[in-house]
Amino acid sequence: QRFTQVVEFQTDPLVTADAHYGLALIAQHAGHSEQARELLREVLRTCPNFPKRPDVHFALGQTNEALWRNTAWKHEQEKEDSEFLQRAMEHYQQAIERQSQYHPLASFCLGKLHYETNHPEDALSYLRRASTDTALESRYAVEANYLLGNLCRDQRGDLAQAQEYFQIALKKGATP
């Protein structure tokens, strides 16, 4: 309600942008991806100097990825050519370049999308970056190393490197 009131009273543009951002995160959390996407795009359109802009890009990446994953595609080519996929990748890239507080996770997400769309070289680059970042949550680091192991084994035929990544995944996934 407070975010909505701020938007309705049209206070300072930064405050309004922050309220839109807050509403978008709430919508995203509730699974209302279309609504979240529109609110996040509004922030980017109306407030170019918004301090949390890198984080807005990350949230837009997540929202577009959710829309991409949850859309019923008629065939694989339509899924690969989707605007949602392209926008997710673009916004994750912006989050990385602009040093969002979520840039390690953005690297992981972008690497995973490249992995799933069969772009192994791009996947390797982003997943390696993510896997070595100490700020990346353990569960994502485990998956990043697992995917790197798969890429090295299946795409490169490098069994020694694959084994290293799988061992790292196991170590990071071990609980004390």
Side-chain angles (χ1 to χ4, degrees):
Q1 283 181 322
R2 299 279 186 219
F3 288 139
T4 304
Q5 287 175 342
V6 168
V7 171
E8 287 173 359
F9 293 129
Q10 303 226 346
T11 59
D12 177 87
L14 291 175
V15 174
T16 301
D18 206 23
H20 275 117
Y21 180 57
L23 287 169
L25 294 179
I26 290 168
Q28 186 181 43
H29 182 73
H32 304 292
S33 298
E34 286 287 348
Q35 180 185 8
R37 184 178 189 226
E38 288 311 310
L39 288 164
L40 292 165
R41 291 169 80 181
E42 180 70 17
V43 171
L44 293 180
R45 272 193 302 272
T46 62
C47 196
N49 61 340
F50 185 54
K52 297 176 188 172
R53 192 174 182 92
D55 297 340
V56 172
H57 281 291
F58 176 73
L60 260 169
Q62 285 188 306
T63 301
N64 280 295
E65 182 179 351
L67 289 165
W68 178 71
R69 291 188 185 286
N70 296 321
T71 298
W73 304 104
K74 293 178 183 163
H75 48 77
E76 201 60 33
Q77 190 61 45
E78 181 184 30
K79 183 177 182 180
E80 286 184 28
D81 294 339
S82 166
E83 177 189 352
F84 295 138
L85 175 61
Q86 299 311 312
R87 295 282 183 227
M89 289 179 163
E90 289 170 11
H91 286 293
Y92 285 142
Q93 185 64 44
Q94 286 293 313
I96 294 165
E97 289 173 5
R98 294 170 185 250
Q99 291 292 300
S100 163
Q101 66 177 324
Y102 305 107
H103 75 275
L105 185 53
S107 290
F108 167 75
C109 292
L110 189 52
K112 186 174 178 182
L113 286 174
H114 281 298
Y115 178 88
E116 291 174 356
T117 57
N118 201 25
H119 296 104
E121 292 307 313
D122 292 326
L124 276 167
S125 172
Y126 289 106
L127 290 170
R128 279 183 177 145
R129 182 183 310 172
S131 74
T132 59
D133 196 314
T134 56
L136 186 66
E137 284 183 47
S138 177
R139 64 183 169 149
Y140 299 115
V142 168
E143 189 174 356
N145 282 286
Y146 168 75
L147 295 174
L148 284 165
N150 284 340
L151 285 167
C152 288
R153 182 192 65 212
D154 300 338
Q155 299 290 324
R156 296 213 161 166
D158 186 345
L159 299 181
Q161 185 70 57
Q163 183 177 1
E164 284 182 44
Y165 283 122
F166 288 139
Q167 287 174 340
I168 292 169
L170 289 170
K171 286 178 189 172
K172 289 184 182 268
T175 55

